[in-house]
Amino acid sequence: KNSYLYICMMNKLVNIIPKFLSEINNFSRREVTSFAYLSIEKILGYSKSDCIIHSNHELTNDNIISFENIINDIKQNIPIQYILGEAHFYDLKFKVNSSTLIPRGETEELVQYILLHDFISVLEIGTGSGCIAVSIAKNSNANITAIDNSIEALEIAKSNAILNSVEINFELSDVFNFSDTKKYDLIVSNPPYVLESEKKIMNKNVLDYEPHNALFVSDNDPLIYYKEIAKIATNNLNKNGLLFFEINEKYSKQIIELLSNLNFVDIELKKDINGRDRIIKSVFK
């Protein structure tokens, strides 16, 4: 494939999207086209509109090899975000790797909902790539602390704070051994909530590459993280402080009951763009 003929067939930007579409058949055409544009932006720095203006841009041999390597990785079901080492979230760019979940659109909705409220101090529990904490910091004046039990994830989160020019206090901490005594106006968490039994219906690009400890929870105790985080919130929220969760739609009623029993009021359940119960907001009295 590195022959002179092959390189001549691939020597212009206009050839890249047809190349992606002709070689990748394990995703929809829309997804493959999106992968191609993301790859072009990463390798050449061209936006989607730039591609029209620069369609006759001549590619170097190194460019062609880079695109070919990306295509081969996509065919192996490796997520495009891990291939490129970055993901877009809330109009910001984030570094990601196999130590962090890939940020998702439902979580953007969580951030958008949070930013409708007033708060000065925030604790995020289980920050991963830092996408929630960084996005809140970028769009508010809040003092933010973000914790995770993964050193590797925290390193990525710290680099994302630097990348997006925000200051966040990152701490290595486990939700089951939490000892912080500070009080916060708002606590937010998107904990593991996919049941172990749901693995069989997961896409391979998720199941084979994203960190299972950040995704899955035992069927025997699916609310384990919500129970612990709600207890933390009762100790670490200011009066009338806000608690936000992203949730598994199957357990919305149980989580609402859990919060009600812990003196949380004004509990609101919000559906995501796909009509699924996804976000819970509550107020600590």
Side-chain angles (χ1 to χ4, degrees):
K1 285 189 174 180
N2 288 321
S3 68
Y4 176 76
L5 177 61
Y6 174 77
I7 291 172
C8 286
M9 290 170 61
M10 285 280 290
N11 69 349
K12 290 189 177 180
L13 177 57
V14 71
N15 299 323
I16 295 303
I17 292 173
K19 175 68 174 174
F20 271 69
L21 289 169
S22 67
E23 289 219 11
I24 301 170
N25 54 27
N26 50 331
F27 294 93
S28 70
R29 287 180 64 86
R30 181 184 60 80
E31 289 174 303
V32 173
T33 301
S34 173
F35 297 160
Y37 280 120
L38 289 170
S39 302
I40 290 167
E41 181 183 357
K42 178 70 174 181
I43 294 170
L44 301 176
Y46 289 157
S47 67
K48 195 170 182 179
S49 56
D50 290 336
C51 291
I52 299 170
I53 302 168
H54 299 283
S55 60
N56 285 320
H57 172 92
E58 293 195 2
L59 305 178
T60 66
N61 194 11
D62 285 346
N63 292 157
I64 294 167
I65 292 169
S66 295
F67 282 118
E68 188 65 25
N69 287 338
I70 290 170
I71 289 170
N72 288 335
D73 284 345
I74 293 171
K75 288 159 78 171
Q76 298 301 314
N77 287 304
I78 302 174
I80 186 68
Q81 294 89 346
Y82 290 159
I83 297 169
L84 302 181
E86 62 186 32
H88 295 268
F89 181 88
Y90 215 76
D91 293 330
L92 301 172
K93 189 176 288 186
F94 289 85
K95 297 178 182 179
V96 292
N97 64 19
S98 57
S99 297
T100 65
L101 289 181
I102 296 167
R104 287 168 167 79
E106 295 90 341
T107 309
E108 286 185 309
E109 295 180 61
L110 171 61
V111 170
Q112 186 176 31
Y113 191 34
I114 287 171
L115 289 170
L116 296 175
H117 299 79
D118 294 323
F119 49 86
I120 299 299
S121 55
V122 176
L123 171 65
E124 186 195 3
I125 297 176
T127 194
S129 66
C131 65
I132 293 175
V134 170
S135 299
I136 293 173
K138 195 71 175 176
N139 292 278
S140 75
N141 295 315
N143 296 312
I144 301 175
T145 296
I147 70 167
D148 205 284
N149 64 358
S150 165
I151 294 173
E152 294 80 10
L154 282 175
E155 288 304 312
I156 290 291
K158 289 175 183 177
S159 69
N160 282 325
I162 295 169
L163 177 66
N164 289 288
S165 304
V166 296
E167 291 189 11
I168 294 170
N169 175 36
F170 290 104
E171 296 180 3
L172 182 66
S173 183
D174 192 305
V175 66
F176 300 106
N177 295 288
F178 187 79
S179 58
D180 185 2
T181 58
K182 293 193 292 291
K183 297 284 188 178
Y184 299 90
D185 295 330
L186 187 151
I187 293 177
V188 56
S189 186
N190 175 18
Y193 61 67
V194 181
L195 300 177
E196 289 279 351
S197 61
E198 293 178 311
K199 284 182 178 180
K200 59 182 178 291
I201 60 171
M202 301 286 286
N203 291 331
K204 281 183 66 65
N205 59 326
V206 175
L207 191 59
D208 292 351
Y209 295 100
E210 296 201 53
H212 284 204
N213 64 333
L215 272 173
F216 296 107
V217 67
S218 168
D219 288 58
N220 295 327
D221 196 358
L223 302 187
I224 185 169
Y225 288 99
Y226 296 99
K227 293 173 186 175
E228 291 299 319
I229 294 165
K231 287 178 187 175
I232 290 170
T234 62
N235 292 318
N236 292 85
L237 273 178
N238 288 319
K239 186 176 180 182
N240 297 318
L242 303 170
L243 175 60
F244 285 85
F245 281 137
E246 185 173 323
I247 67 164
N248 184 328
E249 62 178 321
K250 294 180 178 178
Y251 296 104
S252 57
K253 291 179 181 178
Q254 291 94 321
I255 295 171
I256 289 171
E257 182 179 357
L258 165 69
L259 293 170
S260 296
N261 291 337
L262 288 172
N263 207 33
F264 287 89
V265 298
D266 299 333
I267 300 171
E268 297 179 14
L269 175 63
K270 187 175 175 66
K271 295 183 183 297
D272 63 22
I273 196 170
N274 297 310
R276 297 187 177 98
D277 292 345
R278 188 64 65 202
I279 299 167
I280 288 181
K281 167 201 163 186
S282 60
V283 179
F284 183 63
K285 286 298 183 184

